[in-house]
Amino acid sequence: MKIITAVSIILSNLFFAQIAVPDDFKKIPDILDSNDLLYPFIIPDKSYDYWRVLRNDPDPDKAIIYDSQMPESMTINDPAPDKGFFQKCLGNACFSYILACKNSHTLYFASERKLRDFIGTIDNLPEALLIAKTYGFSVDTSDPSASSYKIDDHYIYLYLSRPKNCTEVKGSYSLKINRKTGITESWSNGIYSLNKDCSTIKS
């Protein structure tokens, strides 16, 4: 087993060393590796009187991640949802959700699919990164094969990261996002980062 693991590590190192990003791709700005800094760039697919992004934190001041301009006369008494998107733990401050108001009605967007619906047409790079994150991809600014992009009139192309079977084995993935429909295609480019403590490797 140790021999197989050692051979796998050697082969994986050889493989991810060959990952190359095309010259027409640009580096994703380092600041865009944070979900919280992507929300202000959202241009909702529909018109809302007001919307905000929150985390399930019992402290109201800590709960607000991003706030659009809320009318002074508006009050919201509806209970918060018990689930959301980007779940990272159990308990408080473990997920995010969007609250939107339209014609005095409160709407919640509390799942990855609902977040994609809220964004709708992909207007910019931060929106594309949020769409990608709903599918488990992330930006890793340490390597171009996990932090590059290209935009044209119809698609946004991304090189992003996603863990393999071990969280310390990082794979490079190419994504093609249709800006009009949000339909996302992805394929693996191989492993670009490997921790020797992982005992098994899968490409």
Side-chain angles (χ1 to χ4, degrees), residues 158-178:
L158 301 168
Y159 275 77
L160 295 178
S161 175
R162 189 163 69 178
K164 295 289 188 175
N165 61 306
C166 169
T167 56
E168 296 302 321
V169 178
K170 299 178 182 179
S172 167
Y173 286 80
S174 292
L175 284 78
K176 179 182 178 182
I177 302 177
N178 187 305

Side-chain angles (χ1 to χ4, degrees), residues 3 20 31 35 47 57 71 73-74 88 97 99-100 124 135 139 151 156 158 162 174 188:
I3 295 176
I31 196 172
N35 291 347
S47 176
D57 194 308
S73 60
M74 183 175 293
K88 58 184 179 180
Y97 62 94
L99 178 154
N124 51 53
Y135 292 108
V139 178
I151 299 177
I156 294 182
L158 301 168
R162 189 163 69 178
S174 292
S188 175

Side-chain angles (χ1 to χ4, degrees), residues 14 33-34 52 60 66-67 91 103 121 141 143 151 163 182 188 196:
L14 290 174
D33 67 350
S34 167
R52 63 173 26 168
Y66 173 74
D67 215 348
N103 299 326
T121 302
T141 57
D143 196 291
I151 299 177
S188 175
K196 64 182 180 179

Side-chain angles (χ1 to χ4, degrees), residues 8-193:
S8 297
I9 292 174
I10 293 171
L11 293 177
S12 298
N13 275 282
L14 290 174
F15 187 55
F16 72 69
Q18 298 173 4
I19 298 175
V21 177
D23 293 338
D24 57 344
F25 277 69
K26 299 178 181 178
K27 184 180 185 303
I28 295 173
D30 291 358
I31 196 172
L32 296 185
D33 67 350
S34 167
N35 291 347
D36 291 0
L37 298 179
L38 299 175
Y39 298 122
F41 294 94
I42 293 179
I43 302 173
D45 197 42
K46 298 178 181 179
S47 176
Y48 298 98
D49 301 323
Y50 157 77
W51 62 276
R52 63 173 26 168
V53 185
L54 304 105
R55 61 175 55 90
N56 66 319
D57 194 308
D59 185 334
D61 294 330
K62 295 180 180 179
I64 300 173
I65 300 173
Y66 173 74
D67 215 348
S68 68
Q69 296 182 351
M70 182 176 182
E72 293 182 2
S73 60
M74 183 175 293
T75 58
I76 298 170
N77 297 315
D78 294 347
D82 57 4
K83 63 179 181 179
F85 46 82
F86 304 146
Q87 181 96 28
K88 58 184 179 180
C89 59
L90 298 176
N92 294 326
C94 288
F95 61 79
S96 302
Y97 62 94
I98 291 175
L99 178 154
C101 293
K102 185 176 181 66
N103 299 326
S104 300
H105 292 288
T106 303
L107 303 171
Y108 286 105
F109 298 82
S111 70
E112 280 77 8
R113 182 180 64 80
K114 289 291 187 180
L115 175 57
R116 294 194 290 268
D117 292 343
F118 183 78
I119 292 173
T121 302
I122 314 301
D123 300 285
N124 51 53
L125 175 60
E127 285 189 343
L129 293 176
L130 281 171
I131 294 293
K133 286 172 181 285
T134 66
Y135 292 108
F137 298 98
S138 62
V139 178
D140 181 355
T141 57
S142 70
D143 196 291
S145 67
S147 58
S148 299
Y149 76 99
K150 181 178 72 172
I151 299 177
D152 63 28
D153 292 339
H154 302 289
Y155 298 96
I156 294 182
Y157 303 87
L158 301 168
Y159 275 77
L160 295 178
S161 175
R162 189 163 69 178
K164 295 289 188 175
N165 61 306
C166 169
T167 56
E168 296 302 321
V169 178
K170 299 178 182 179
S172 167
Y173 286 80
S174 292
L175 284 78
K176 179 182 178 182
I177 302 177
N178 187 305
R179 298 186 64 176
K180 183 176 181 179
T181 66
I183 293 176
T184 303
E185 303 172 47
S186 65
W187 56 94
S188 175
N189 300 314
I191 296 169
Y192 73 91
S193 179

